[in-house]
Amino acid sequence: MTALPLTRMKRAPAIAKAAALCALVGISDASAFSGFGTAVVEDRDGKPCFGLPTRTFESLRSPRPLRALTVHRNVNDEAWSFSYHPSPAVLLRPGQCIVYGELPVSATSPAAPQPLVPGALYEVYLNAPTSGLIRGYYAKFCLKTLPDGSTRVIPVRYDERKGWTAEVCQP
């Protein structure tokens, strides 16, 4: 067995540290490996408002063309959607958002937006591909009814023990 050159032996720990750092930076959102980033869901007077993330690495690729947006409760229960076909996509910058039910200029929608049900789990998908690995952005959310009768939008995170659940929005 031949001995490794000294320079190769000294580089091995540095390469291992660099690989570990790259893995930590890249796994800030595991969905990025599936081709999807995490969309932003905010509350705007009880209605959800959807946008792109403002993280440092994401904003380097902005603005991005938004080709379509879809909100659904489950696969067969679409609540609202629109697209820019055949019109060209509109550029969407991180920090901007689209309020549920408010159709952007030049976008077309196949149907009127459905009322959102408090306590139900919804998913939004923004077709806004980057020049990199990300094809679009998605997030889950629900509406919670407050004691005064108004609603508040709650972004839903994945729970290791319970999975995707709208439990945080139950009365």
Side-chain angles (χ1 to χ4, degrees), residues 40-118:
V40 173
V41 179
E42 299 175 351
D43 183 279
R44 293 283 169 96
D45 299 321
K47 288 185 175 183
C49 195
F50 312 111
L52 300 175
T54 57
R55 295 184 301 242
T56 306
F57 294 119
E58 293 293 332
S59 62
L60 293 175
R61 297 183 207 141
S62 66
R64 283 177 291 290
L66 175 64
R67 294 192 170 98
L69 182 145
T70 304
V71 176
H72 55 89
R73 190 168 172 181
N74 58 46
V75 176
N76 298 320
D77 189 11
E78 187 174 286
W80 182 54
S81 68
F82 69 81
S83 66
Y84 289 100
H85 184 74
S87 300
V90 169
L91 294 179
L92 187 64
R93 297 180 186 283
Q96 290 179 309
C97 73
I98 297 169
V99 177
Y100 180 84
E102 295 181 10
L103 192 62
V105 176
S106 78
T108 58
S109 179
Q114 301 299 308
L116 298 176
V117 178

Side-chain angles (χ1 to χ4, degrees), residues 43 45-48 142-146 150-155 169:
D43 183 279
D45 299 321
K47 288 185 175 183
C142 55
L143 273 65
K144 182 176 182 86
T145 303
L146 301 177
S150 64
T151 57
R152 189 172 126 214
V153 178
I154 310 286
C169 290

